Amino acid sequence: MSRVFLLGSGFSVAAGAPLSREVLKKIFARDSKTFEVAQLETWLDRHLFHNRSHGCQQADFEEVISRLELFEHYSEPASKDRRLLEAKVNLLLKEFISLLQPDKLRDKLSCYDSFARKLRPGDLILTFNYDLVVERALERNNLGVDYQLFLPGSPLDRESTAIRFQLRIPVIKLHGSINLVFCTRCYSVREASAGALLCNQCRNPDRSLAKESSTLRPFLIAPTLFKSYSLPDLRRIWYTAYNCLSRAQELIIIGYSLPAADILTAQLLDFAHRSCPHPQKVTVVNGPHPDLTRLQSLYIQGISNTGLAFADWANLIP
Ligand SMILES: [Zn+2]
């Protein structure tokens, strides 16, 4: 039986990962922030929040990066404004990535290990979380992670990973991941490595690096999926998600209530459910008082609500 686990922010809450609406406050309300970060806040307040002091601290991080992606799209390529915008976005993403580093989270919890031990061949994980909580839980329990991307790397590395893990669980990161980057020239996605700022695939025949636009940028995607127009890997993983959702026998939704702004996700879930040739069991693990209004409108045949928060469900349910 194939099962799809759909993970939202409620999955990583136990590890201390900030919710999207808490991220900007965490970045900008620190006493220890650098001058550069303080300037970034002023810039965001000026450009997105009508110059309201600390306006961005009240905003949702995903909404802010969606708006910045649109600005980028409509700005003149290679202009001074565009370069400034890119520098600000890069700094914001760098601060965000640093918040979610494994050493900042408490992810070695029994609930994550229990979750990993429930997994079996044929299962698939879809996640909106940018952090590495689920990957680390799988690895602690000798399960490999398969991002369903073609990640360049040495064949030897791949072989040793295949031997180390007998089972690799497909983990589709629908909004990207803090450990992945993409090249702004060839658009390939790869694992981030310390200090690598330029794409090593974008070389000319004389082995020199292509002059322009071959920088590596974080593979972090706003819910508008605006980047999907340029990133084939992103389109591919959303299509894989659709395929798996439309065939799954069981869908287990953990810590995700389908926010009203996630229109594309609602369409994905709706279309996949309608395309499924057999009845699907849908289970929700969203705490004792979940708002199921939007999910219920998609799964009219019914949802089984556990009434449990993730940590309790993982530890209690065999
Ligand atoms: Zn490249």
Side-chain angles (χ1 to χ4, degrees), residues 183 185-186 188 199 201-202:
C183 167
R185 187 167 183 270
C186 67
S188 64
C199 172
Q201 293 201 329
C202 284

Side-chain angles (χ1 to χ4, degrees), residues 184-219:
T184 52
R185 187 167 183 270
C186 67
Y187 301 116
S188 64
V189 176
R190 78 273 320 277
E191 281 176 52
S193 60
L197 300 173
L198 295 173
C199 172
N200 57 7
Q201 293 201 329
C202 284
R203 285 175 188 274
N204 293 326
D206 64 359
R207 306 296 291 160
S208 64
L209 276 168
K211 273 189 221 110
E212 281 178 35
S213 319
S214 65
T215 48
L216 296 174
R217 294 183 65 182
F219 185 57

Side-chain angles (χ1 to χ4, degrees), residues 133-148:
V133 173
V134 74
E135 287 94 323
R136 283 165 55 90
L138 296 188
E139 293 196 3
R140 279 198 304 278
N141 290 277
N142 297 315
L143 294 167
V145 169
D146 178 359
Y147 283 138
Q148 303 277 303

Side-chain angles (χ1 to χ4, degrees), residues 71-129:
F71 279 10
E72 231 176 306
H73 181 74
Y74 290 117
S75 64
E76 191 73 40
S79 64
K80 196 171 144 224
D81 283 351
R82 171 70 163 262
R83 281 197 295 274
L84 176 68
L85 180 58
E86 281 176 2
K88 297 293 183 191
V89 172
N90 280 343
L91 178 59
L92 179 61
L93 295 182
K94 194 173 131 215
E95 291 296 311
F96 174 63
I97 289 169
S98 117
L99 278 185
L100 296 185
Q101 287 304 312
D103 61 351
K104 303 260 175 67
L105 303 179
R106 304 174 305 274
D107 65 354
K108 287 183 195 155
L109 299 177
S110 63
C111 55
Y112 296 122
D113 289 324
S114 304
F115 172 73
R117 287 196 292 269
K118 288 184 208 299
L119 297 170
R120 44 185 197 242
D123 286 347
L124 174 124
I125 295 171
L126 299 180
T127 173
F128 294 107
N129 299 337

Side-chain angles (χ1 to χ4, degrees), residues 12-23:
S12 295
V13 155
L19 297 170
S20 191
R21 61 175 182 273
E22 300 165 348
V23 165

